[in-house]
Amino acid sequence: MKNYLLLTIGVVCQSCLLFAQQGSLTVLKDITLIDGSGAPVRQHANMVIQADKVVSFPDTRHLPKNARRINMNGKTVMPLLINAHGHLGLIKGNTATANNYTDENVRRQLEQYLHYGIGAVLSMGTDQPLIWPLRDSSQKGTIPGATIYTAGYGFGANGGVPPGAFGKHIQRPLTPEAATAAMEQLAALHPDFVKIWVDGNPKVTPDTYNAIIQSAHAHGIKVAAHVYYLEDARSLVAAGIDLLAHSIRDQIVDDAFIQLMKEKGTYYIPTLSLDRYNFAYGTQLPDWFNDPFFINSLEPGVYEELKSLPQKNDKDREKKIKAFNIASTNLRKLDSAGIPICMGTDSGAQPTRTQGFSEHLELQLMVEAGLTPLKVITCATANGAQLLNGAHHTGKLIPGNKADFMILDANPAEDIKATRSIKAIWKNGKEIK
């Protein structure tokens, strides 16, 4: 009997120690839950958090005892957004150049993204060597801000896009053999993705991008392409590209192309906000122009520059509007066909593509293109996490996943602009002050 009591006490003490190590429980009571999976909105839900994880969603009668309780009074809780196409470190003030790329600038931008509810960003191919230790620390949760995923050093054509101002680390191989060798060197750094720019003049040739794709896939690394034209996209999908990181904007996609994407499992990012910015500041300013949510996301001096540079005399304005309309139609058509869509904005590549606001504008434009608000939220959360191989258990608020979420004053399932009504941000189970 004495031994039994000693054993029981030992088990209880071990359980107490484990509980202490895991951290105490927190309950968010009476939330309107959008879990990111596409499931219907749940009213009057309760979410239990322990340490950095979501534990459960019990009814009110079965809330854990001795837990810290926070009454949300019906406020909406949804996962943090994932920007699957952004750039870090390039912009500062009204410039976009590799000279701005510093540890301090990257960290500042990570915190800005998180302040706007973006929990992770895939930086698409314009990074510099300091990104690797930052990425590792970020993914371990030891530095503040959005979590970094990176394509490291992207591939472009010699003399083509991206501009030389984006830095000497852009790789511009002249032959397929050189491309394979460069990809092998990049793979040794363990990038989260690979980026190829396939538009402009000159373009990366099919032989070259085939070599990059094959080498990357041999290392288990996914590849994204910067595209504009349907025929480029068709060849890339046939070659096994994993992600089209921009809209097709020259013509409406055809059924054969859609079927090819379905067969290959290709993901698609529309970046509608990029195309909307291209003609936004004309004779009539956009409705967001005087919104503090937009203004506060801009680099110093950019707002004044936008006010002084109307686009009403832009000779390419109609072409840009047409490209945006084609992009919107293609998004609706591809989504209706079941192509997996992710949210990305190309924010951070130019000062006008503001980091934080652009992602919320993107959600609005995706809804205006014909997707439902809940579908768009899934594109920006669960789909992004799936693209990034689970993104360290984020993207959906389900038991066992990270407690990474934002609390909103309004319900974006009813009006997608409600994602801008941010009351609080939580990451790794803690409210970010």
Side-chain angles (χ1 to χ4, degrees):
M1 184 66 175
K2 181 178 179 181
N3 290 338
Y4 175 78
L5 286 173
L6 288 172
L7 178 62
T8 301
I9 292 169
V11 171
V12 171
C13 288
Q14 285 180 350
S15 298
C16 291
L17 179 61
L18 179 62
F19 181 80
Q21 290 173 339
Q22 289 177 335
S24 58
L25 296 173
T26 298
V27 178
L28 299 188
K29 287 187 60 183
D30 189 22
I31 63 174
T32 299
L33 176 66
I34 299 174
D35 68 9
S37 71
V41 177
R42 289 174 57 186
Q43 305 287 348
H44 307 296
N46 304 299
M47 182 166 68
V48 180
I49 301 165
Q50 187 171 38
D52 64 345
K53 298 287 196 304
V54 175
V55 175
S56 61
F57 297 92
D59 60 43
T60 303
R61 293 173 299 171
H62 298 95
L63 294 180
K65 297 178 180 179
N66 302 318
R68 179 171 70 115
R69 300 187 182 190
I70 305 173
N71 197 328
M72 291 286 100
N73 297 311
K75 290 188 184 300
T76 299
V77 172
M78 62 170 280
L80 295 178
L81 305 176
I82 296 173
N83 179 8
H85 185 166
H87 295 271
L88 292 170
L90 290 175
I91 61 172
K92 190 173 184 181
N94 57 8
T95 64
T97 169
N99 294 333
N100 294 328
Y101 202 98
T102 64
D103 182 281
E104 178 185 10
N105 203 30
V106 171
R107 288 173 183 257
R108 177 180 67 88
Q109 292 174 3
L110 293 175
E111 292 199 55
Q112 175 158 321
Y113 272 124
L114 184 57
H115 179 76
Y116 275 80
I118 293 89
V121 58
L122 172 57
S123 188
M124 277 289 200
T126 53
D127 287 313
Q128 298 186 28
L130 63 84
I131 196 63
W132 306 111
L134 278 175
R135 186 275 307 268
D136 294 345
S137 296
S138 175
Q139 292 189 7
K140 291 175 184 175
T142 58
I143 61 174
T147 302
I148 299 171
Y149 295 84
T150 180
Y153 318 136
F155 291 84
N158 191 37
V161 295
F166 281 12
K168 63 182 181 180
H169 294 285
I170 306 296
Q171 304 181 88
R172 304 182 192 272
L174 299 178
T175 65
E177 292 76 18
T180 297
M183 184 60 237
E184 291 296 313
Q185 290 181 335
L186 179 61
L189 298 170
H190 306 292
D192 302 288
F193 237 91
V194 173
K195 166 75 174 290
I196 312 173
W197 281 266
V198 186
D199 68 347
N201 185 24
K203 298 178 182 180
V204 174
T205 65
D207 285 347
T208 298
Y209 64 63
N210 268 284
I212 296 167
I213 293 168
Q214 290 174 16
S215 177
H217 284 176
H219 290 278
I221 307 170
K222 295 176 181 177
V223 187
H226 176 113
V227 294
Y228 186 98
Y229 301 102
L230 175 58
E231 290 313 306
D232 288 336
R234 195 186 307 276
S235 296
L236 283 159
V237 172
I241 203 78
D242 300 283
L243 169 66
L244 297 175
H246 286 288
S247 281
I248 294 163
R249 288 158 281 178
D250 67 321
Q251 55 184 301
I252 304 300
V253 296
D254 56 69
D255 292 342
F257 175 71
I258 294 173
Q259 184 58 36
L260 181 63
M261 286 190 74
K262 293 179 78 169
E263 290 171 1
K264 294 287 188 176
T266 315
Y267 283 74
Y268 188 81
I269 295 178
T271 61
L272 296 178
S273 55
L274 177 154
D275 292 292
R276 183 68 182 89
Y277 285 141
N278 282 340
F279 63 91
Y281 308 111
T283 53
Q284 183 176 356
L285 292 173
D287 59 3
W288 68 76
F289 193 73
N290 292 313
D291 185 347
F293 195 76
F294 168 66
I295 296 170
N296 293 334
S297 70
L298 291 167
E299 290 288 300
V302 176
Y303 185 68
E304 290 72 23
E305 185 175 304
L306 289 174
K307 287 194 292 186
S308 66
L309 293 174
Q311 297 172 359
K312 59 184 178 182
N313 296 321
D314 182 356
K315 60 182 177 58
D316 294 324
R317 179 176 168 79
E318 292 306 315
K319 179 182 177 182
K320 293 172 181 177
I321 293 173
K322 181 179 179 181
F324 172 76
N325 290 333
I326 290 173
S328 297
T329 299
N330 282 338
L331 170 60
R332 182 170 63 252
K333 192 169 183 179
L334 290 167
D335 175 67
S336 297
I339 300 301
I341 310 295
C342 294
M343 185 273 287
T345 60
D346 212 359
S347 61
Q350 299 295 335
T352 52
R353 298 179 203 163
T354 172
Q355 293 165 310
F357 175 80
S358 294
E359 287 66 38
H360 294 269
L361 176 61
E362 187 74 22
L363 303 184
Q364 175 189 336
L365 296 174
M366 291 171 75
V367 169
E368 291 175 359
L371 281 64
T372 68
L374 271 182
K375 183 61 178 290
V376 167
I377 290 170
T378 299
C379 294
T381 55
N383 287 8
Q386 185 177 34
L387 178 71
L388 294 172
N389 300 321
H392 296 80
H393 305 286
T394 63
K396 290 189 284 189
L397 293 174
I398 58 175
N401 267 14
K402 283 286 188 72
D404 289 3
F405 56 87
M406 50 182 151
I407 300 171
L408 308 174
D409 282 327
N411 183 355
E414 298 172 354
D415 179 359
I416 195 62
K417 288 185 180 180
T419 61
R420 306 173 196 182
S421 66
I422 298 172
K423 179 73 173 178
I425 301 290
W426 286 57
K427 195 168 192 289
N428 296 320
K430 296 179 181 178
E431 183 175 358
I432 305 301
K433 301 297 183 182

